[in-house]
Amino acid sequence: MSNLSSRLVTVFGGSGFVGKQVVRALAQKGWRVRVAVRKPTYAYDLKPLGTVGQIQIVRCDVRKEAEVQAALNGASAVVNLVGILYQTPGASFDAVHRAASKAIAEGAAKLGIKDFVQMSALGADPKSSSKYASTKGKAEEAVRAAIPSAVIVRPSVIFGPQDGFFTGLAEQIKAFPFMPSIGGGKTKFQPVYVGDVARAIADTLGNPAFAGKTFEIVGPQTFTFNELVQYVGEEIQSPRALIWMPFAAASLIGVVGDISSLLIKPLLTSDQVLLLQKDNVASGKLPGLRELGILPTAVESVVPSYLWRFRKNGQFAEYAG
C-alpha cells in the first residue's frame, strides 16, 4: 500500500464507464475511495476493486449542495467525472457540467482541498456553438476559479468494453443497410483507451508536479469518421456503404433525436452534429499521455475483444465456413 493509503478521495460519477476504471486505478495506488453517485445500487460492484473497506459508496445528487458537501466531508482530494452526452428533461448540460462542477469545486475549496482532477473533453470551449463543449469549457473555468491547482483532463472519444462509441457504431451498422457519411465523414478523432484515461487521472491526482495543468488525453492513431465506420463494419463482418449526408440534413435528424431523447437514447442530436463539424484531436500545445509516461493503447488491440458479439457467429465467426 502506498503512502497515500491514509488519504481519502471523493469520486463524483464513479459508477459510469470511465468511473469504474478510475476507482480501480485509484485503489491500486492506495487511495481510500468514496464513490459519490446518484444511484448507489449501480455502484456496489465497485467494492471488490479494492481491499476490505477501501471503497465506500454514498448517495449524492450533484445538483443538491447539501449532498455534495456531505460527500466531501473528510476528503483530502476530489475527482469529478460527472457528465452527460445528451440532455434530458431532468438533466441539462448546464446543470450537470457547469453548475455541478462549480458546486463541487467551491465545496472542496471551502474545506481547503487543493488536490482536484476535473475530467473535461477535447474541444471544451466556453464560446463553442455546441452546448456540450461550451458547458464543459465553463465547468473548467468554474473549477479553476475555485481551485487554481486543479488538474484538467481532456480526453478524446473514449473506447473500451461497454463503451458508447464503438459499441454504438456497431449497433447502428447492424440496424441499417447503409451508414451516413455526415459532412463527408472527414471529421478526425483520436480515440483513447479508457484504461489510459483512468491511469492519467490517478497519476495526476495529488502530484504537485502536475498542479494547475491541463492535459489532452488522446490515443496513438488519428481516424476520420468514415474510417471508423469502415473499421467497425469490417470488424463485425457487416460492411456498410457510406452515403454522403450534408450537415444540414444531419441537423434535421438531430432535431428528431432531441425530441426522442425525452423517452429513449437518441441516435443523433443536433448538438452532436455541431460537434461533428470540428475535429476531435489534440492541439499539440498541451501535455498528454507521453508526459505522464503512459504508452497509449491502440484501438486494434482492444476493440475486437468486445465487438465480436456483433458478428453473425459471435466469437466463432472467423471459423465459420
Side-chain angles (χ1 to χ4, degrees):
M1 193 72 73
S2 76
N3 59 2
L4 293 174
S5 60
S6 62
R7 303 185 68 191
L8 173 66
V9 55
T10 297
V11 179
F12 291 90
S15 62
F17 166 59
V18 177
K20 291 182 178 181
Q21 297 293 327
V22 170
V23 169
R24 182 196 303 272
L26 291 169
Q28 290 175 341
K29 290 186 75 70
W31 287 91
R32 288 190 297 120
V33 185
R34 175 186 292 157
V35 186
V37 292
R38 191 163 61 92
K39 297 181 179 180
T41 52
Y42 290 0
Y44 286 118
D45 60 340
L46 295 174
K47 288 192 172 185
L49 299 181
T51 58
V52 177
Q54 187 180 11
I55 298 171
Q56 67 172 126
I57 314 299
V58 298
R59 186 191 182 286
C60 175
D61 185 335
V62 293
R63 295 167 296 183
K64 297 180 180 179
E65 185 177 346
E67 293 187 15
V68 169
Q69 207 60 44
L72 289 169
N73 286 336
S76 55
V78 174
V79 173
N80 181 26
L81 306 173
V82 176
I84 54 175
L85 296 176
Y86 60 91
Q87 301 185 107
T88 63
S92 70
F93 284 136
D94 186 70
V96 176
H97 294 164
R98 183 200 60 80
S101 295
K102 184 174 186 291
I104 292 169
E106 291 181 350
K110 289 178 183 178
L111 296 174
I113 298 173
K114 297 181 178 180
D115 292 331
F116 194 111
V117 176
Q118 170 81 3
M119 191 175 82
S120 185
L122 276 189
D125 180 358
K127 299 179 180 179
S128 175
S129 58
S130 158
K131 291 182 180 179
Y132 174 87
S134 65
T135 54
K136 282 288 189 178
K138 291 173 182 177
E140 289 185 7
E141 290 182 334
V143 169
R144 277 281 168 72
I147 305 177
S149 60
V151 173
I152 306 293
V153 172
R154 296 175 179 168
S156 182
V157 292
I158 304 173
F159 69 89
Q162 300 180 336
D163 66 16
F165 188 72
F166 284 103
T167 301
L169 283 178
E171 290 172 343
Q172 291 179 38
I173 288 172
K174 295 295 288 187
F176 301 105
F178 62 87
M179 289 290 287
S181 176
I182 300 175
K186 298 178 181 179
T187 307
K188 296 178 181 178
F189 299 86
Q190 289 179 282
V192 60
Y193 177 50
V194 64
D196 294 339
V197 176
R199 183 178 166 190
I201 290 172
D203 286 357
T204 54
L205 184 66
N207 190 328
F210 304 128
K213 292 188 176 182
T214 297
F215 291 84
E216 292 180 326
I217 308 299
V218 300
Q221 303 149 288
T222 299
F223 301 87
T224 64
F225 178 78
N226 280 357
E227 288 172 340
L228 288 170
V229 172
Q230 290 170 339
Y231 168 72
V232 174
E234 292 170 0
E235 187 58 45
I236 65 174
Q237 300 178 355
S238 298
R240 293 289 186 266
L242 284 159
I243 307 299
W244 181 73
M245 176 181 287
F247 284 118
S251 295
L252 293 176
I253 296 176
V255 171
V256 176
D258 295 340
I259 297 172
S260 69
S261 66
L262 299 174
L263 300 172
I264 60 173
K265 177 182 176 181
L267 288 175
L268 184 70
T269 67
S270 55
D271 198 77
Q272 289 168 350
V273 174
L274 292 174
L275 290 173
L276 282 172
Q277 295 179 42
K278 186 175 181 180
D279 290 339
N280 193 258
V281 297
S283 67
K285 300 177 181 179
L286 296 171
L289 292 177
R290 179 179 300 177
E291 285 73 17
L292 294 172
I294 300 173
L295 184 65
T297 304
V299 165
E300 292 88 345
S301 65
V302 176
V303 172
S305 71
Y306 61 90
L307 286 191
W308 60 262
R309 65 188 179 89
F310 291 97
R311 300 173 189 162
K312 182 178 180 181
N313 296 302
Q315 60 185 319
F316 303 108
E318 59 183 325
Y319 303 112

